[in-house]
């Protein structure tokens, strides 16, 4: 089986240049629709397992989150936990508002673990979307 080739790999291979190093990761698809979505789905499952009215409270908190700017944080649906009819931009909004929405819905120490996880996800996401990095931001990404 032959590996696929393209014009860049054919032309630059003779100079020892690997054009794959130029391609940056797609944060939207790899993180927001991959890692974050999996964590959010699992968090919803944990809330269902915890019982009481934690899912309804989560939906209420997201619904009551005010919008910010024209395109920064849009109004959430009434049932964010069902994750229906969400656009790709909605996942970034959900991530940015997750810490206050999930706060106190689980007993300790689970609450702290979940909030710490969302803090790390939001920090990594914010750093990864920067257009220009410094030594400090690169160290923080590691």
């Amino acid at each position: 089986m032959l590996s696929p080739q393209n014009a860049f790999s054919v032309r630059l291979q003779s100079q020892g240049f690997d054009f794959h190093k130029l391609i940056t990761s797609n944060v939207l698809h790899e993180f927001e629709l991959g890692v974050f979505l999996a964590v959010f789905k699992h968090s919803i499952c944990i809330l269902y397992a915890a019982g009481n009215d934690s899912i309804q409270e989560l939906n209420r908190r997201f619904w009551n989150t005010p919008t910010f700017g024209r395109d920064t944080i849009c109004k959430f649906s009434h049932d964010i936990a069902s994750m229906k009819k969400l656009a790709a931009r909605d996942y970034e909004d959900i991530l940015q508002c997750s810490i206050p929405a999930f706060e106190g819905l689980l007993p300790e120490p689970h609450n702290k673990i979940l909030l710490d996880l969302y803090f790390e996800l939001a920090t990594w996401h914010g750093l990864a979307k920067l257009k220009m990095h410094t030594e400090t931001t690169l160290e923080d990404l590691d």
Side-chain angles (χ1 to χ4, degrees):
M1 179 176 208
L2 296 173
S3 62
Q5 293 185 332
N6 66 30
F8 292 111
S9 63
V10 171
R11 298 278 235 173
L12 299 173
Q13 188 175 23
S14 63
Q15 281 80 28
F17 186 78
D18 182 10
F19 80 95
H20 292 97
K21 292 181 180 178
L22 293 174
I23 300 171
T24 59
S25 65
N26 184 333
V27 173
L28 173 67
H29 289 95
E30 290 183 20
F31 184 80
E32 292 170 1
L33 299 178
V35 174
F36 171 69
L37 183 56
V39 170
F40 187 70
K41 284 180 181 178
H42 192 70
S43 300
I44 298 299
C45 290
I46 291 170
L47 291 180
Y48 273 117
N52 56 43
D53 65 342
S54 56
I55 291 292
Q56 292 82 2
E57 179 62 19
L58 179 73
N59 286 330
R60 187 189 68 72
R61 289 178 182 184
F62 272 111
W63 173 250
N64 289 330
T65 301
T67 59
F68 182 80
R70 287 182 45 189
D71 298 321
T72 306
I73 295 177
C74 299
K75 189 72 176 163
F76 292 106
S77 70
H78 288 287
D79 189 10
I80 201 73
S82 69
M83 295 179 280
K84 295 190 188 304
K85 297 182 180 180
L86 293 176
R89 65 170 168 74
D90 295 325
Y91 293 107
E92 182 176 6
D93 292 354
I94 293 169
L95 173 59
Q96 292 172 345
C97 299
S98 288
I99 293 174
F102 278 95
E103 186 174 13
L105 294 180
L106 294 172
E108 294 298 340
H110 308 293
N111 181 60
K112 181 178 179 352
I113 293 168
L114 188 65
L115 295 181
D116 287 348
L117 173 61
Y118 277 108
F119 177 80
E120 291 297 328
L121 290 173
T123 301
W124 188 92
H125 180 262
L127 289 171
K129 290 193 84 162
L130 290 175
K131 303 286 187 216
M132 183 179 281
H133 287 281
T134 64
E135 291 296 323
T136 305
T137 60
L138 291 174
E139 288 173 11
D140 289 344
L141 277 170
D142 282 341

